[in-house]
Amino acid sequence: MPIKLIPTILCGGAGSRLWPVSREQHPKPFITLTDGQSLLQKAYLRGLTQSNVVEVVTVTNREFAHITEDALASAAIPDTHALTPKTIMVEPVGRNTAPALAMSALHTQATHGDDAILLVLPADHLIDKKEAFRHAVERAVQLAQSGKIVTFGIRPDRPETGFGYIEADGERVLRFVEKPSLETARKYLAAGNYLWNAGMFCFSAKTILTEMDKHCPDIVAGARASFSNLQRATDRGVKRLTIAPEKFGALRDISIDYAIMEKSSCVAVVACDIGWSDIGSWVALGELTEADDIGNRVEGEVVLHDVENCNITASSRVIGAVGVRDLIVIDTPDALLIADKSKAQDVRHIYSALKGSGHQAHLAHATVSRPWGKYTVLEDNPGFKIKRIEVNPGARLSLQSHRHRNEHWVVISGNATVQNGNEVFKLSSNESTYIPARHMHRISNDTTKPLIIVEVQTGRYLGEDDIIRFDDDYGRKRDHELLIMKTPGKKSQENAA
């Protein structure tokens, strides 16, 4: 039988180690590198361009589904692979890699048969040596065809304490080892038969499901129940499979490593040197930018004087640095990181502190992507908030109301269709409307051009959770509370100066 390879990309994460560019709602896979591609797009193209690929599946969380779809739809796909199907499997809640891969294997089995091979790739890693990776995949596929569950082991070039290890005898896995101390990592490097665990796998649908039936039957049983209730849709050439929350949400949160890899007798490893990096810190990400003669790596508008061995990234303003050494400086519109390079792994503590205090800077950027477009918070003060909102052509926001806040909408460019209470009307540039609290409303862009409005919110509470949804095109939570909206909509027009 001809080989059928299904690259399966796992896309998620919290974004703690690359804060402030990475946030909870915009984690590492969606970071755009200097070449214009995101890590997710690179992983997608890496999988797509292997031999015998019949479909690429990306597993992601509901919160990331729309930006994942945008990334895949806009990826620069080679003409030779343009017709290869691409699928997004949308989880209602994160349950780690074992449930995700159980769902992926069931989809692969149903679509391509028992012998189809899954190549599991994290969405947030980089691989520089493409040919070496291709050869490693070819060997992994051969082992997978013989009934093995294959993991990829990276030959270490330093005593690294941030990775798990695999002790190997040729292609046979002796054991998996947790992240070691520095002294133990040095011993592993000297021994010569320890490999970094890259978190990439290769196996047939039949093999992984059989092993799951043996070692985590509750996971695969719950996955089968969830798989029978998938919702299916296609948009912009991307097939979307949405998992219902009832069964999937009850599954254990467990990784494929703990559920299968450490228990199965079918595990093999392919040792490789593929230029692999998990981009686990600002130092690792900075290495993608070429250094000057004294070790500085800069992006954006940066002016240096007497500066050495620093990573500095400017986004929307000039950064000047004088007389500093060994620093990481990352500037974004709403947050600034300054760290010693030797403490790059400790950035996660800043993220955790912000999350613990409820600060929005751990969660999202000033500009937030939504399925219908995006918004940017221009000003946020007690009693009022100002947003710039861009609605994509043909898109609309949910039909909603707010308990506490009032809203004023002013159209800057484009043409809007507005539902405000019992009225539906059009607004053009320089026209506006007022939406009182507890008033049902919706804005739509029925045109082929972007719609841009400025929204001014007023009230004593302006949190993003103050929303009651009655109808939504994107499967987000609906609140069926019935409110009677009797106040007529108010429309005003201001003439241009």
Side-chain angles (χ1 to χ4, degrees):
M1 295 290 292
I3 297 170
K4 294 182 178 180
L5 185 66
I6 297 85
T8 303
I9 301 167
L10 303 180
C11 180
S16 60
R17 292 184 294 175
L18 293 178
W19 184 88
V21 171
S22 182
R23 310 282 176 101
E24 187 171 300
Q25 292 184 356
H26 191 87
K28 185 167 59 167
F30 304 105
I31 290 178
T32 300
L33 303 183
T34 54
D35 62 2
Q37 290 184 336
S38 68
L39 289 169
L40 170 59
Q41 288 174 323
K42 288 181 177 294
Y44 169 71
L45 295 171
R46 183 182 311 130
L48 178 69
T49 52
Q50 300 305 307
S51 301
N52 304 306
V53 171
V54 295
E55 181 183 16
V56 181
V57 176
T58 303
V59 185
T60 193
N61 189 279
R62 183 183 68 177
E63 296 300 319
F64 307 142
H66 66 282
I67 50 178
T68 299
E69 189 174 291
D70 288 344
L72 300 189
S74 61
I77 301 171
D79 291 341
T80 52
H81 298 81
L83 298 180
T84 303
K86 45 183 176 284
T87 299
I88 299 175
M89 184 168 282
V90 182
E91 298 176 325
V93 62
R95 281 295 177 263
N96 218 315
T97 53
L101 292 177
M103 293 296 297
S104 302
L106 290 168
H107 167 71
T108 297
Q109 182 185 58
T111 308
H112 304 290
D114 280 343
D115 296 328
I117 305 294
L118 286 79
L119 173 64
V120 180
L121 304 174
D124 56 358
H125 292 184
L126 275 181
I127 293 174
D128 286 338
K129 300 178 181 179
K130 295 180 180 180
E131 279 304 306
F133 179 63
R134 184 183 301 278
H135 291 315
V137 170
E138 289 173 353
R139 179 55 185 157
V141 168
Q142 292 172 354
L143 291 168
Q145 287 180 301
S146 70
K148 296 295 185 181
I149 298 175
V150 186
T151 185
F152 292 77
I154 308 301
R155 295 188 181 94
D157 57 7
R158 63 185 185 276
E160 175 62 56
T161 62
F163 305 145
Y165 282 72
I166 302 165
E167 184 181 6
D169 179 11
E171 291 180 336
R172 185 165 66 96
V173 172
L174 300 179
R175 62 175 178 141
F176 291 89
V177 184
E178 296 289 343
K179 296 176 183 178
S181 66
L182 181 58
E183 181 181 356
T184 302
R186 286 172 176 156
K187 292 179 181 178
Y188 290 167
L189 185 63
N193 66 323
Y194 284 84
L195 306 166
W196 291 337
N197 187 350
M200 301 185 296
F201 310 100
C202 189
F203 41 70
S204 73
K206 179 180 180 180
T207 297
I208 195 65
L209 292 172
T210 299
E211 290 300 290
M212 284 186 164
D213 281 327
K214 289 180 184 177
H215 300 294
C216 54
D218 60 317
I219 296 293
V220 74
R224 287 190 174 104
S226 297
F227 187 75
S228 65
N229 292 316
L230 284 178
Q231 298 177 4
R232 304 170 187 271
T234 301
D235 185 33
R236 294 187 293 173
V238 181
K239 182 165 64 176
R240 183 185 290 209
L241 306 176
T242 303
I243 304 169
E246 292 76 17
K247 299 292 184 181
F248 192 83
L251 294 180
R252 281 186 293 144
D253 184 323
I254 186 170
S255 70
I256 193 69
D257 301 80
Y258 289 128
I260 297 297
M261 303 303 290
E262 295 184 359
K263 299 176 180 178
S264 175
S265 60
C266 303
V267 179
V269 62
V270 172
C272 49
D273 177 9
I274 54 178
W276 172 86
S277 172
D278 75 339
I279 312 297
S281 71
W282 276 111
V283 171
L285 188 60
E287 289 174 353
L288 303 179
T289 301
E290 186 175 354
D292 65 16
D293 293 340
I294 49 178
N296 295 311
R297 303 173 189 269
V298 301
E299 291 184 42
E301 198 169 1
V302 178
V303 181
L304 305 178
H305 176 75
D306 190 26
V307 173
E308 293 183 15
N309 197 35
C310 288
N311 294 0
I312 303 178
T313 298
S315 57
S316 57
R317 54 187 170 184
V318 178
I319 292 180
V322 179
V324 294
R325 309 285 184 271
D326 303 316
L327 289 183
I328 298 167
V329 180
I330 309 297
D331 190 33
T332 68
D334 65 333
L336 170 67
L337 170 69
I338 303 172
D340 188 290
K341 290 181 75 171
S342 68
K343 301 291 185 180
Q345 291 290 343
D346 291 342
V347 171
R348 67 185 186 275
H349 297 306
I350 302 296
Y351 172 92
S352 297
L354 291 168
K355 185 172 183 178
S357 68
H359 199 291
Q360 284 292 109
H362 90 277
L363 185 65
H365 289 279
T367 296
V368 179
S369 176
R370 285 290 183 259
W372 43 261
K374 60 186 177 182
Y375 71 82
T376 301
V377 177
L378 303 177
E379 192 165 351
D380 188 356
N381 287 291
F384 77 96
K385 182 187 290 187
I386 303 174
K387 289 182 176 179
R388 178 190 186 276
I389 297 176
E390 183 170 335
V391 185
N392 293 332
R396 62 180 183 173
L397 281 66
S398 58
L399 181 62
Q400 60 187 254
S401 69
H402 309 292
R403 292 181 177 90
H404 305 289
R405 72 177 183 248
N406 311 294
E407 295 181 344
H408 304 256
W409 291 346
V410 182
V411 176
I412 304 303
S413 65
N415 293 281
T417 301
V418 174
Q419 178 176 343
N420 190 350
N422 296 325
E423 286 192 318
V424 177
F425 50 87
K426 302 287 187 180
L427 289 179
S428 299
S429 178
N430 219 28
E431 294 181 332
S432 63
T433 191
Y434 165 63
I435 302 103
R438 303 185 70 83
H439 217 228
M440 192 182 298
H441 59 277
R442 168 180 256 164
I443 190 165
S444 307
N445 181 2
D446 300 328
T447 74
T448 59
K449 296 181 179 179
L451 165 66
I452 298 173
I453 70 170
V454 168
E455 176 183 274
V456 179
Q457 302 176 4
T458 59
R460 289 193 296 177
Y461 180 74
L462 304 173
E464 293 297 331
D465 57 347
D466 178 21
I467 183 171
I468 304 168
R469 284 196 178 97
F470 302 93
D471 181 59
D472 185 71
D473 295 341
Y474 312 104
R476 294 173 296 180
K477 181 181 177 182
R478 301 180 186 185
D479 190 328
H480 295 288
E481 174 183 354
L482 297 178
L483 300 176
I484 299 175
M485 305 297 174
K486 295 183 177 179
T487 306
K490 300 178 181 180
K491 176 178 176 180
S492 64
Q493 179 170 336
E494 297 175 342
N495 293 324

